Amino acid sequence: MIKITFPDNNVREFPKGVNAIDIAKSLSNSLAKEITAIEVNGEIWDATRAINEDATIKLFKFQDEEGKDAFWHSSAHLMAETLEFFYPGVKLGIGPTIENGFYYDIDLPEGKSISDNDFPKIEKKMLELARQKNQFIRTEQTKAEALKYFTEKNDEYKLELISELEDGTITFYEQGNFTDLCRGPHIPNTGIIKAVKLLKIAGAYWRGDEKRKQLTRVYGISFPKQKMLEEYLNMLEEAKKRDHRKIGKEMELFTFSKSVGQGLPLWLPKGAMLRERLENFLKKIQREHGYEPVITPHIGQKELYVTSGHYAKYGEDSFQPIKTPNEGEEFLLKPMNCPHHCEIYKSKPHSYKDLPIRYAEFGTVYRYEQSGELHGLTRVRSFTQDDAHIFCRPDQLKEEFLKVIDIVLYIFKTLDFANFETQISLRDPDDHSKYIGSDENWKKAESAIINAVKEKGLNSVIEYGEAAFYGPKLDFMVKDAIGRKWQLGTIQVDYNLPERFELEYVGSDDKKHRPVMIHRAPFGSMERFVAVLIEHTAGKFPLWLTPEQAVILPISEKYNDYAKKVSNILNNYDIRSFVDDRNEKIGKKIRDNELKKIPYLLIVGEKEVDSETIAVRKQGHGDIGTMDIKEYADFIRLEIEKQLAN
RNA sequence: GCCGAUGUAGCUCAGUUGGUCAGAGCAGCUGAUUUGUAAUCAGCCGGUCGGCGGUUCGAAUCCGUCCAUCGGCUCCA
């Protein structure tokens, strides 16, 4: 007998050789059917793998991340089996799980191709094979055996992978007529895969190397229940409807022009108004938090970026220097605001008593992103960072971090991003060589971030090796209304630039010290933030932010004058309104303005004119009654105050 | 940048094998109607069919090339 410790620290005895399914069965039969994987002493195992020693375990179902991983990875094998059936001689690259589903990179035999039209038959065959309930059988292989198998199969991709593995660590998995090199784990058998959908096809280089052969990547997703697939497909539909590129066009927020250039957004009046309100919102918070506004030019001498080190790293692959009539004089479009802010810091000497100094600027920067990478407002070549740089003493780091976190949390709360998590990016613990700055400072900064996050009680994951070479950072990821994750704000510690720009302050010891710099952008960039906000709200912005808050709809032309009067009064109350005086029936005007997502439709006809009132209709809710104008203005003001309340 | 797909009016899209195929709806304009809570009717305007070049008697349609967009890859200070 062996001792099995459950997550709740319960310990029970099982016969040696027990597996996850057996353990689950001892709890409930229905649970046993749902188990896809198990954690055994910190390692993820197959649910059917025998446990021969005392162990601490955790059972996983599809709902768990680890359970999904096994499920989708197994589905990738099932897809590979099916592809071998339809395309004999196909060579297989890698087939991992991704955030939503899985893919397999394949090299089709000469002259063969695969397209969306082939998906239905592949899906059908996959389900047919799934229904055979073929077990996933794990076998350990010697390197020689493994090489022999794939040499006979003539799959150079697997051979390459195996050649890099250490002998004694190689395992194969077999299900039905298919055998693959695989670390695992896998689900017990194919039978629990009940729904399958192939999603798309794309080219991908073998091992991500553009000099190597391009393989065909087939993406798919699978579920243990048909209903889950339907829900997922609905979510994709919903995501399509919320696409900020589509809504941005419909609502006339922004556009692009081939003539201006790709990746260079043009903000239309309504978008510009929206953005301005977001900026003012943040400016007000920043004023309250002791930030000082600065303004810097869009270009700087090339030497500035040589000093910062960015020219060496990005110069060749970015916008090229601007030349002037003066021989040898070169300027760069600024790819970031930091060097300019460092120069502002240097414009006068600083005492330790002055710190922290916080310079804030909505600074527009230019980066030559690869053309294929541009995407709506989320990836552009010119964007405006809600940037600020905090210059502080090392002992102030944690305090400043806490304050920045406060700002970010206030923004999330006000804009209704209820779900978010943070990622703390630290040094690679095994290799400190690629990082600049003293060990002591890094330790201080890393613990400052960790403690700040802990103090605020934030949901966070720590990623080792993800820090920038110049310092650790904290990133904020929000989940939008339909569950998609977006990276927004970032707070980064920087030891590099203060060094390179030789920034100093005079300490209480009358000696010169180097300040620490914090880069922070709670929105990330205005472009990206507005894009995420559009997708989060589906264009139904909070009342305080939306470009047009109310539209006045006269029943007929006779009431246009009254409508204009109402609009003027509302505008005096700072409520953004306009009159829809088109010669259309009221039903048509309601429909059009509902579709335009205007939050309030104010209908005026004979009754309203006589009683000096308006009939209020809330977008998506219908008629909510008649009010006089002052009453309505107070009503709106209250709603806005509620939204902005801390 | 690479692979693949796409590009027809302001928007959404038709356009079979190259030959009255330059179309529809919405938007806009004009007129009629004067309307009470999700589409009133009629007329009109609007396109070098992404750009350039080629094949052909003839090209939105076939070929080449460039540009842009989309989906991926790679990248993201």
Side-chain angles (χ1 to χ4, degrees):
Chain A
M1 297 296 264
I2 55 170
K3 286 195 175 75
I4 298 294
T5 309
F6 288 84
D8 58 1
N9 285 327
N10 230 328
V11 181
R12 284 178 56 189
E13 293 209 334
F14 287 90
K16 196 173 165 185
V18 70
N19 66 31
I21 304 288
D22 302 328
I23 296 172
K25 260 187 196 154
S26 77
L27 298 169
S28 102
N29 268 327
S30 61
L31 176 68
K33 282 184 198 151
E34 289 189 68
I35 298 303
T36 62
I38 181 172
E39 184 179 309
V40 178
N41 295 330
E43 266 181 53
I44 314 290
W45 281 21
D46 304 316
T48 51
R49 187 164 161 192
I51 304 169
N52 293 317
E53 300 165 16
D54 290 356
T56 300
I57 63 132
K58 198 175 168 191
L59 295 169
F60 295 120
K61 303 195 285 185
F62 180 79
Q63 284 70 16
D64 303 301
E65 204 170 304
E66 295 84 351
K68 271 195 183 77
D69 195 71
F71 191 90
W72 282 335
H73 195 179
S74 302
S75 303
H77 280 223
L78 181 64
M79 181 169 79
E81 181 184 5
T82 311
L83 291 170
E84 282 193 346
F85 173 83
F86 285 112
Y87 307 93
V90 63
K91 294 174 186 175
L92 301 169
I94 55 164
T97 298
I98 50 177
E99 196 180 343
N100 287 302
F102 54 88
Y103 67 78
Y104 220 115
D105 282 348
I106 60 171
D107 188 7
L108 288 162
E110 203 54 37
K112 293 275 182 188
S113 70
I114 180 169
S115 83
D116 304 14
N117 301 328
D118 301 316
F119 286 178
K121 72 171 187 201
I122 297 170
E123 288 161 5
K124 203 173 149 217
K125 185 73 186 174
M126 280 175 76
L127 287 174
E128 196 182 309
L129 292 170
R131 277 192 292 272
Q132 294 176 0
K133 299 192 179 168
N134 292 318
Q135 290 196 345
F136 283 87
I137 299 160
R138 178 178 189 272
T139 55
E140 290 176 9
Q141 305 282 329
T142 65
K143 194 162 181 172
E145 285 166 346
L147 288 170
K148 181 161 173 277
Y149 179 84
F150 282 105
T151 305
E152 278 165 16
K153 203 178 170 190
N154 192 25
D155 189 329
E156 66 259 33
Y157 303 105
K158 294 292 179 190
L159 286 172
E160 182 177 330
L161 293 174
I162 293 167
S163 71
E164 292 165 16
L165 293 174
E166 235 168 86
D167 206 352
T169 64
I170 299 171
T171 51
F172 279 10
Y173 276 84
E174 189 183 331
Q175 104 271 0
N177 288 316
F178 180 72
T179 302
D180 201 357
L181 166 73
C182 185
R183 196 184 297 121
H186 283 283
I187 55 179
N189 70 72
T190 57
I192 61 172
I193 301 173
K194 304 283 194 199
V196 165
K197 183 92 187 155
L198 300 198
L199 297 169
K200 59 199 161 205
I201 281 180
Y205 299 107
W206 172 234
R207 317 205 85 175
D209 183 346
E210 64 181 279
K211 292 186 186 65
R212 307 197 61 178
K213 180 154 184 182
Q214 184 142 29
L215 307 180
T216 305
R217 179 167 295 178
V218 185
Y219 287 86
I221 195 162
S222 60
F223 295 94
K225 291 198 172 103
Q226 179 65 26
K227 202 174 154 219
M228 294 169 91
L229 172 62
E230 282 160 22
E231 278 165 13
Y232 178 74
L233 294 176
N234 282 342
M235 194 277 286
L236 288 186
E237 277 302 303
E238 183 58 27
K240 222 184 254 175
K241 279 188 223 152
R242 288 164 175 262
D243 192 318
H244 74 277
R245 294 166 300 184
K246 181 172 172 279
I247 292 178
K249 192 186 253 181
E250 284 166 3
M251 295 183 76
E252 297 180 5
L253 300 175
F254 60 88
T255 189
F256 290 89
S257 149
K258 203 161 143 177
S259 304
V260 173
Q262 59 176 161
L264 302 172
L266 304 172
W267 290 79
L268 303 174
K270 284 174 193 166
M273 283 197 295
L274 177 96
R275 172 174 154 165
E276 193 176 69
R277 264 187 289 285
L278 275 174
E279 287 184 6
N280 289 339
F281 166 69
L282 184 53
K283 275 180 188 160
K284 181 163 172 276
I285 308 169
Q286 289 183 164
R287 249 192 329 268
E288 289 162 9
H289 280 77
Y291 286 74
E292 301 173 281
V294 295
I295 296 172
T296 65
H298 287 223
I299 61 172
Q301 289 200 83
K302 183 177 148 187
E303 284 66 34
L304 185 67
Y305 302 98
V306 172
T307 302
S308 74
H310 292 105
Y311 187 77
K313 194 152 188 222
Y314 296 100
E316 295 288 304
D317 301 319
S318 198
F319 286 113
Q320 291 308 291
I322 301 164
K323 292 203 190 334
T324 71
N326 259 346
E327 184 82 19
E329 191 175 45
E330 288 184 320
F331 291 88
L332 282 181
L333 278 169
K334 70 174 170 187
M336 75 257 305
N337 305 299
C338 341
H340 290 74
H341 290 188
C342 285
E343 289 301 317
I344 291 177
Y345 180 89
K346 280 177 83 170
S347 66
K348 67 172 191 185
H350 295 282
S351 148
Y352 71 99
K353 294 176 192 165
D354 302 338
L355 302 184
I357 286 172
R358 311 180 188 90
Y359 294 138
E361 175 177 21
F362 286 86
T364 305
V365 297
Y366 303 86
R367 298 178 185 178
Y368 190 77
E369 306 294 356
Q370 294 188 78
S371 64
E373 189 48 43
L374 300 171
H375 180 95
L377 283 186
T378 57
R379 199 73 198 278
V380 286
R381 284 179 171 167
S382 94
F383 58 96
T384 301
Q385 295 177 312
D386 54 323
D387 212 357
H389 294 97
I390 300 168
F391 302 89
C392 67
R393 307 190 304 259
D395 63 277
Q396 294 172 318
L397 203 53
K398 185 180 145 203
E399 181 66 26
E400 285 308 304
F401 241 85
L402 285 169
K403 284 183 180 168
V404 179
I405 291 174
D406 279 338
I407 293 178
V408 175
L409 295 187
Y410 177 63
I411 291 170
F412 286 180
K413 187 162 177 239
T414 306
L415 290 163
D416 207 22
F417 287 109
N419 285 313
F420 64 90
E421 51 193 54
T422 63
Q423 178 181 316
I424 303 172
S425 299
L426 306 180
R427 278 188 298 184
D428 180 344
D430 302 325
D431 179 12
H432 287 179
S433 64
K434 55 185 170 185
Y435 304 101
I436 182 173
S438 72
D439 239 36
E440 187 200 351
N441 276 336
W442 270 86
K443 274 185 197 147
K444 229 183 262 172
E446 292 187 340
S447 67
I449 297 178
I450 293 167
N451 288 332
V453 167
K454 205 180 282 172
E455 222 164 278
K456 288 287 166 191
L458 301 180
N459 205 348
S460 72
V461 286
I462 293 180
E463 294 289 343
Y464 293 93
E466 286 293 304
F469 73 93
Y470 50 78
K473 62 177 179 172
L474 177 67
D475 292 317
F476 287 80
M477 262 84 65
V478 298
K479 256 194 184 170
D480 71 14
I482 56 171
R484 295 168 302 168
K485 271 193 215 169
W486 303 85
Q487 202 212 303
L488 288 177
T490 179
I491 316 176
Q492 309 188 356
V493 179
D494 187 347
Y495 293 112
N496 180 40
L497 288 182
E499 197 73 37
R500 285 177 168 269
F501 282 93
E502 298 176 345
L503 305 183
E504 292 172 338
Y505 65 88
V506 179
S508 57
D509 56 3
D510 200 27
K511 293 205 174 91
K512 291 192 167 158
H513 297 271
R514 191 126 288 164
V516 185
M517 197 170 163
I518 299 175
H519 309 250
R520 44 107 279 176
F523 289 150
S525 80
M526 300 312 291
E527 284 72 11
R528 191 177 167 77
F529 192 79
V530 168
V532 174
L533 198 57
I534 290 172
E535 306 226 358
H536 181 52
T537 60
K540 292 175 191 170
F541 299 110
L543 194 56
W544 65 274
L545 200 53
T546 202
E548 286 155 335
Q549 295 169 318
V551 55
I552 299 138
L553 311 180
I555 298 273
S556 84
E557 279 176 11
K558 283 187 275 186
Y559 314 110
N560 280 357
D561 285 344
Y562 179 67
K564 271 174 204 140
K565 187 177 140 197
V566 172
S567 181
N568 284 336
I569 295 172
L570 291 181
N571 289 340
N572 286 338
Y573 281 115
D574 278 335
I575 294 168
R576 300 181 288 277
S577 70
F578 68 101
V579 179
D580 183 354
D581 58 3
R582 290 173 306 160
N583 180 7
E584 294 289 351
K585 288 174 77 166
I586 193 67
K588 165 90 163 162
K589 289 192 198 180
I590 287 170
R591 178 182 156 78
D592 288 351
N593 288 291
E594 285 269 346
L595 290 176
K596 276 169 78 183
K597 305 181 179 85
I598 313 282
Y600 286 99
L601 313 188
L602 311 177
I603 292 147
V604 297
E606 192 177 355
K607 277 185 286 182
E608 288 75 20
V609 171
D610 290 346
S611 58
E612 293 261 309
T613 56
I614 48 183
V616 182
R617 193 188 152 102
K618 194 174 161 85
Q619 204 264 358
H621 290 81
D623 195 349
I624 61 168
T626 302
M627 302 184 193
D628 71 43
I629 300 168
K630 172 80 170 59
E631 197 184 344
Y632 174 72
D634 288 342
F635 174 74
I636 293 302
R637 197 171 356 210
L638 197 71
E639 186 177 338
I640 289 174
E641 265 171 32
K642 231 190 258 169
Q643 285 174 356
L644 291 176
N646 197 342

